[in-house]
Amino acid sequence: MAEHRSMQRAALLDAARSLLSDGGTDALTFPALAERTGLARSSVYEYFRSRAAVVEELCEADFPVWAAEVAAAMERAATPEGKVEAYVRRQLALVGDRRHRAVVAISASELDAGAREKIRAAHGGLVAMVVEALAEMGHEQPRLAAMLLQGVVDAAVRRIELGAAEEPAIITDAAVRMALRGVQG
């Protein structure tokens, strides 16, 4: 029974990911979750008490996976500059990934404080890694530079998501150049 419940829960989270990645947070409704999973709407409430609870659990499940991929790419880089480049490139490479799209949709939405705090904490871990690389590069204000660098990444993410005129590779290269030139200080 417990195994069945965890399979149902996983199916619901997967359906939530699809809904978020296809239609943003507005698309994430209990009727839509019920329809995608073939469960009765009342059953969806047995697993999650609210949309915010679904979002919170998705953040807990997906953000660490996504952050770990960025961390792994950074660890493979030999130089601080390489780490900064990996930080930018890996985040932008994950844009097409459903988990990432779901996290982006969530980040852009009105969340309850608990879910927002979880995203901030996970994001903070990511930013902390790049702060270290920027400090190694001799940046005078590595924390500020890291926050601004993330702003460049977020703008590039939105540009790619919008299906802008430029190819994702061109947007990525431009973001990397801007990051590396900008963080020279």
Side-chain angles (χ1 to χ4, degrees), residues 87-96 153 156-157 160 171-172 175-176:
Y87 176 81
V88 174
R89 280 193 189 283
R90 194 67 202 123
Q91 285 190 68
L92 296 179
L94 290 167
V95 169
V153 172
V157 164
I160 292 170
I171 296 169
T172 300
V176 167

Side-chain angles (χ1 to χ4, degrees), residues 148-166:
L148 297 174
L149 173 60
Q150 187 57 45
V152 169
V153 172
D154 292 343
V157 164
R158 280 193 300 278
R159 191 112 187 117
I160 292 170
E161 294 247 313
L162 287 170
E166 310 86 7

Side-chain angles (χ1 to χ4, degrees), residues 114-125:
R116 261 203 315 272
E117 202 37 61
K118 285 195 172 75
I119 290 178
R120 248 199 304 277
H123 224 261

Side-chain angles (χ1 to χ4, degrees), residues 8 11-12 15 30-44:
Q8 298 269 35
L12 283 164
F30 278 30
L33 281 172
E35 192 181 317
R36 287 266 171 126
T37 54
L39 291 169
R41 199 184 309 183
S42 57
S43 299
V44 177

Side-chain angles (χ1 to χ4, degrees), residues 99-183:
R99 281 174 193 271
H100 177 261
R101 292 241 300 277
V103 168
V104 169
I106 290 165
S107 303
S109 71
E110 292 300 308
L111 293 178
D112 71 329
R116 261 203 315 272
E117 202 37 61
K118 285 195 172 75
I119 290 178
R120 248 199 304 277
H123 224 261
L126 216 50
V127 170
M129 295 187 307
V130 86
V131 168
E132 204 175 303
L134 293 168
E136 281 177 50
M137 287 170 71
H139 208 286
E140 283 170 29
Q141 290 179 293
R143 179 154 284 291
L144 173 61
M147 300 311 268
L148 297 174
L149 173 60
Q150 187 57 45
V152 169
V153 172
D154 292 343
V157 164
R158 280 193 300 278
R159 191 112 187 117
I160 292 170
E161 294 247 313
L162 287 170
E166 310 86 7
E167 288 295 310
I170 289 171
I171 296 169
T172 300
D173 288 343
V176 167
R177 275 196 309 280
M178 186 172 276
L180 289 175
R181 287 201 194 122
V183 297

Side-chain angles (χ1 to χ4, degrees), residues 18 28 49 57 96 100 151 161 172 179 182:
S18 291
L28 180 61
R49 63 186 185 284
E57 195 157 319
H100 177 261
E161 294 247 313
T172 300

